[in-house]
Amino acid sequence: GEVWIGAKAVELGLADGVGLLRSVLAERFPEATVTPVHTPKPLVTRLMGGGAAAVGEAVGGALSVLGDRALWARYGL
């Protein structure tokens, strides 16, 4: 299927308008309050003590080691 976003979606009648969450809520529901919900970090990230970059580096390093091992195994070493 095709996807239309932004002004094109409004033009085609697929959306009411374009706006930011807080400004649209404030306009339509002036008495509403927005409460952000924070999800916990994934277990691997918490165990490694870093953000997504640290996890990416760890996974990249592990894949590199596995690739090297597979290369050496090809020659029976």
Side-chain angles (χ1 to χ4, degrees), residues 25-73:
L25 282 176
E27 180 183 321
R28 291 186 183 181
F29 307 100
E31 296 177 12
T33 57
V34 177
T35 305
V37 178
H38 299 284
T39 57
K41 292 181 180 178
L43 178 62
V44 173
T45 304
R46 286 184 281 157
L47 291 175
M48 299 191 65
V55 172
E57 289 176 19
V59 170
L63 290 176
S64 176
V65 169
L66 290 173
D68 292 346
R69 180 68 190 118
L71 182 63
W72 285 105

Side-chain angles (χ1 to χ4, degrees), residues 6-36:
K8 186 67 174 179
V10 174
E11 178 185 323
L12 294 171
L14 301 173
D16 295 334
V18 179
L20 299 174
L21 174 71
R22 290 184 188 271
S23 62
V24 171
L25 282 176
E27 180 183 321
R28 291 186 183 181
F29 307 100
E31 296 177 12
T33 57
V34 177
T35 305

